[in-house]
Amino acid sequence: MTTDAQPPPSIDTSRAHPARVYDWLLGGKDNYPVDEAVGERLPPEARDGARQNRQFMHRAAAWLAAQGIDQFLDIGTGIPTEPNLHQIVQNVVPSARVVYADNDPIVLRHAEALLVSRPQGATEYIQADVREADSIVRRARHVLDFERPVALSLIALMHFITDEQDAHGIVRGLVETLPSGSYLILSHASSDLFPELSDAVVAEYAKGGIKLAFRPRPEVERFFDGLDLVPPGLVTATDWSAAGPAPVSEESGIYAGVARIR
């Protein structure tokens, strides 16, 4: 893989970062005491949610690759945790091309070493924030052909973008850059499935300086406006499976869906 030819950005270890807290929740070691402090204060269900979210991504990406989708734009990548998205899809389509984007400098450090494509395919990493959508798409065009279908992956990302930051507008703008036959993969923490638990998670992240915007089902469904949801539609992360019955029976506080762009 290649990365933009820029000096490595500095890593701020004085403030928690969502990607590093998520790494801690998944049992990773690529985080700092400030991130661990946030993770340790979270309810134990937060670890379950991180695992469920990751498993949803695996199922959704593999299903799309099996449908012939061979281009993926994954924004909010997080610290690489095997199997990564490109490993999932290249196991199905070895020539698949994947562009990752994240705003945490530590992700760049690990991406250079770990997000390595199969020889037949390609991976690229972009250091950028989802709020810099135009820049992400412009740079992704160096790897992805936007004249052919692309799967846009926004996994557990948009609940870090508030309504004031126009979360729905950001997703709509990204979707509008994609051709017909593309897909949106999205998961989002709920505010209405387990309200007390959601409030506790939001409060603990806030203590670490991270603002969350958990949303009720109708507000999550808005991200899919104008798109065709793939059965089973917008469901919890553990209930989503387009290839038959869901593999587990487990409660989840995360909404998840995959939709086709008309």
Side-chain angles (χ1 to χ4, degrees), residues 224-247:
F224 298 97
D225 280 356
L227 310 182
D228 297 323
L229 278 161
V230 172
L234 181 63
V235 294
T236 61
T238 51
D239 284 339
W240 193 92
S241 176

Side-chain angles (χ1 to χ4, degrees), residues 61-68 86-95 118:
W63 181 80
L64 285 173
Q67 307 312 301
H86 74 279
Q87 293 169 316
I88 295 291
V89 301
Q90 288 181 352
N91 279 340
V92 182
V93 183
S95 61
R118 285 194 179 192

Side-chain angles (χ1 to χ4, degrees), residues 134-152:
D134 289 343
S135 174
I136 291 174
V137 171
R138 174 176 51 80
R139 294 154 71 184
R141 289 183 187 276
H142 294 294
V143 178
L144 306 179
D145 178 2
F146 279 68
E147 299 300 315
R148 299 195 302 107
V150 175
L152 170 64

Side-chain angles (χ1 to χ4, degrees), residues 1-3 54 74 77-87 90 98-102 107-118 122-126:
M1 84 176 261
T2 60
T3 55
R54 190 79 181 168
D74 180 32
T77 300
I79 294 168
T81 302
E82 292 193 348
N84 297 295
L85 187 146
H86 74 279
Q87 293 169 316
Q90 288 181 352
V98 179
V99 172
Y100 293 103
D102 201 285
V107 177
L108 172 61
R109 308 285 175 86
H110 290 281
E112 291 174 331
L114 298 177
L115 300 181
V116 179
S117 173
R118 285 194 179 192
T123 62
E124 176 65 271
Y125 177 77
I126 296 170

Side-chain angles (χ1 to χ4, degrees), residues 16-242:
H17 190 282
R20 302 195 303 261
V21 175
Y22 190 60
D23 175 73
W24 186 88
L25 290 172
L26 288 171
K29 305 298 182 184
D30 299 309
N31 48 75
Y32 294 94
V34 66
D35 309 300
E36 182 178 354
V38 173
E40 287 185 335
R41 291 196 303 266
L42 293 174
E45 291 87 349
R47 286 198 175 201
D48 293 332
R51 171 182 52 79
Q52 294 166 353
N53 186 66
R54 190 79 181 168
Q55 291 169 344
F56 159 69
M57 182 275 284
H58 290 168
R59 294 195 301 277
W63 181 80
L64 285 173
Q67 307 312 301
I69 301 298
D70 63 355
Q71 300 189 108
F72 291 77
L73 174 56
D74 180 32
I75 305 177
T77 300
I79 294 168
T81 302
E82 292 193 348
N84 297 295
L85 187 146
H86 74 279
Q87 293 169 316
I88 295 291
V89 301
Q90 288 181 352
N91 279 340
V92 182
V93 183
S95 61
R97 305 174 75 82
V98 179
V99 172
Y100 293 103
D102 201 285
N103 68 351
D104 185 3
I106 197 173
V107 177
L108 172 61
R109 308 285 175 86
H110 290 281
E112 291 174 331
L114 298 177
L115 300 181
V116 179
S117 173
R118 285 194 179 192
Q120 305 97 313
T123 62
E124 176 65 271
Y125 177 77
I126 296 170
Q127 177 80 32
D129 191 288
V130 69
R131 291 167 291 186
E132 304 165 5
D134 289 343
S135 174
I136 291 174
V137 171
R138 174 176 51 80
R139 294 154 71 184
R141 289 183 187 276
H142 294 294
V143 178
L144 306 179
D145 178 2
F146 279 68
E147 299 300 315
R148 299 195 302 107
V150 175
L152 170 64
S153 176
L154 303 173
I155 300 295
L157 174 63
M158 298 313 296
H159 50 242
F160 292 103
I161 306 297
T162 65
D163 290 341
E164 291 74 18
Q165 295 169 317
D166 195 17
H168 291 93
I170 289 171
V171 174
R172 184 168 58 251
L174 285 164
V175 166
E176 288 174 351
T177 69
L178 304 178
S180 176
S182 296
Y183 286 85
L184 170 64
I185 313 168
L186 184 143
S187 63
H188 193 294
S190 78
S191 63
D192 54 353
L193 290 172
F194 303 100
E196 292 184 2
L197 178 61
S198 298
D199 289 346
V201 171
V202 170
E204 293 304 334
Y205 266 93
K207 292 176 184 177
I210 300 172
K211 188 171 183 179
L212 287 174
F214 286 9
R215 294 180 170 93
R217 191 181 192 284
E219 289 300 300
V220 177
E221 197 165 26
R222 281 184 57 202
F223 288 112
F224 298 97
D225 280 356
L227 310 182
D228 297 323
L229 278 161
V230 172
L234 181 63
V235 294
T236 61
T238 51
D239 284 339
W240 193 92
S241 176

